[in-house]
Amino acid sequence: MFECRLPKAEVLKKTMDALKDLIKEAVWDVSAQGLSLQSMDSSHVSLVQVTLRTEGFDTFRCDKNIALGVNMDTMQKLMKCASNDDNITLKSEDNGDLLSLIFESPNGEKTSEYEMKLMDLDIEQLGIPDQEYSCTIKMPSGEFQRICRDLSNIGESVNITVVKGGVDFSAKGDIGNAKIHVTESSNVDNEKDAVTVEVNEPVNLTFALRYLNFFTKATPLSGQVSLSISPDVPLVVAYEIEDLGHVKYFLAPKIEN
Amino acid sequence: DSWQVGIIIYYLIL
């Protein structure tokens, strides 16, 4: 038996929004640690990994590890039936083929129960080693979204150059070139507005904007985004979900022909 | 020109 309850459906709705354009089917792995999901996009270029920790839930019961194979479109459609303020309960039997989604209004006057058919999915899991990165940039997530969107008007790729104290995002295309420089904040009152740049060694890598724009669908989950970059390894774009977990995206750099 | 490499190249399939 698996059953968990979140005080607000909003966070799970936003999590589904962050995933649905990138992956069509996925497996939620349920264990005593919480819910987790890892999936490559259909072209196997990028990877998304989600962790929702037990401590962030109102209640969490998992008698036995289970894998819930879901169609992301379907789950997102059902999640949209919840109001943001509703509390949400997810429930599934150990060998069941259904996931129950129960939405309860804050005043307790309305309870909606949906049952979603689960899928038997065999999804390849990749082993992601823990590693140190050459550079870690933290910046307002809305700013990063804006940069990716704006540079998409110029080219298909963004070149990210990190040096001490700042980052250059640049793009080249048939119509012209663009360069956006973001400087590390010197003094910020609100942590969400801060830009921090940690540099162990400067890096200069190129990434496909198409995927970065998919990743920025997670923007409503967190005021800040972190970009972890090292030469010749995938970029990690991470959004922390307060008190609950994270959504992390991995994207291989483009390599010069 | 630049090439987009897949994520599998970097991480092992478990």
Side-chain angles (χ1 to χ4, degrees):
Chain A
M1 174 80 179
F2 154 62
E3 184 172 331
C4 70
R5 186 179 131 125
L6 276 172
K8 280 186 186 294
E10 186 178 21
V11 67
L12 206 50
K13 288 172 79 169
K14 287 178 178 174
T15 303
M16 293 307 297
D17 289 342
L19 303 175
K20 66 159 175 86
D21 290 341
L22 202 61
I23 50 175
K24 294 295 160 209
E25 294 170 342
V27 174
W28 285 103
D29 288 305
V30 186
S31 72
Q33 281 72 49
L35 291 173
S36 66
L37 175 154
Q38 190 208 89
S39 185
M40 285 181 277
D41 71 281
S42 58
S43 59
H44 291 195
V45 167
S46 67
L47 178 85
V48 60
Q49 194 274 321
V50 183
T51 297
L52 307 175
R53 291 185 299 271
T54 308
E55 306 83 71
F57 290 83
D58 276 351
T59 58
F60 196 98
R61 174 184 166 188
C62 170
D63 299 338
K64 182 183 149 195
N65 290 3
I66 54 171
L68 307 171
V70 298
N71 177 295
M72 300 304 276
D73 273 344
T74 307
M75 189 166 174
Q76 199 229 3
K77 268 184 201 161
L78 297 186
M79 286 303 306
K80 278 196 168 176
C81 301
S83 298
N84 285 344
D85 287 343
D86 285 354
N87 66 58
I88 176 172
T89 302
L90 303 178
K91 210 158 66 170
S92 184
E93 299 297 329
D94 285 347
N95 296 311
D97 56 359
L98 289 171
L99 176 68
S100 299
L101 301 98
I102 301 150
F103 312 135
E104 195 180 349
S105 62
N107 59 15
E109 288 177 357
K110 182 184 171 193
T111 305
S112 316
E113 182 161 355
Y114 294 82
E115 286 187 324
M116 184 175 74
K117 285 184 184 161
L118 294 171
M119 304 165 80
D120 193 10
L121 299 174
D122 185 19
I123 288 181
E124 286 169 334
Q125 297 280 299
L126 299 183
I128 308 163
D130 277 334
Q131 66 173 95
E132 293 288 315
Y133 286 87
S134 301
C135 302
T136 303
I137 303 149
K138 289 185 181 164
M139 63 190 296
S141 57
E143 193 57 63
F144 179 62
Q145 183 179 40
R146 181 73 199 261
I147 289 168
C148 293
R149 194 188 74 195
D150 291 349
L151 292 182
S152 302
N153 293 319
I154 296 291
E156 292 179 355
S157 306
V158 57
N159 180 269
I160 302 179
T161 304
V162 190
V163 291
K164 200 168 168 20
V167 193
D168 282 337
F169 298 89
S170 53
K172 290 178 180 169
D174 294 340
I175 61 164
N177 306 319
K179 184 163 96 172
I180 299 170
H181 180 75
V182 178
T183 308
E184 186 168 29
S185 310
S186 50
N187 188 9
V188 181
D189 293 335
N190 189 345
E191 214 174 277
K192 279 185 180 171
D193 297 331
V195 176
T196 58
V197 182
E198 283 174 30
V199 184
N200 295 322
E201 58 169 326
V203 295
N204 176 342
L205 289 169
T206 300
F207 300 95
L209 281 164
R210 171 182 159 76
Y211 292 93
L212 296 182
N213 279 313
F214 282 139
F215 302 169
T216 61
K217 298 282 161 64
T219 303
L221 279 170
S222 179
Q224 284 253 311
V225 61
S226 81
L227 313 175
S228 301
I229 312 175
S230 280
D232 306 323
V233 299
L235 158 78
V236 187
V237 181
Y239 296 84
E240 293 296 324
I241 309 171
E242 198 176 2
D243 300 328
L244 186 59
H246 62 245
V247 177
K248 288 182 180 175
Y249 301 95
F250 299 78
L251 176 64
K254 284 192 153 191
I255 293 170
E256 287 302 316
N257 189 354
Chain B
D1 282 355
S2 52
W3 292 94
Q4 180 65 64
V5 180
I7 200 86
I8 301 174
I9 304 289
Y10 293 91
Y11 302 129
L12 288 174
I13 292 178
L14 296 175

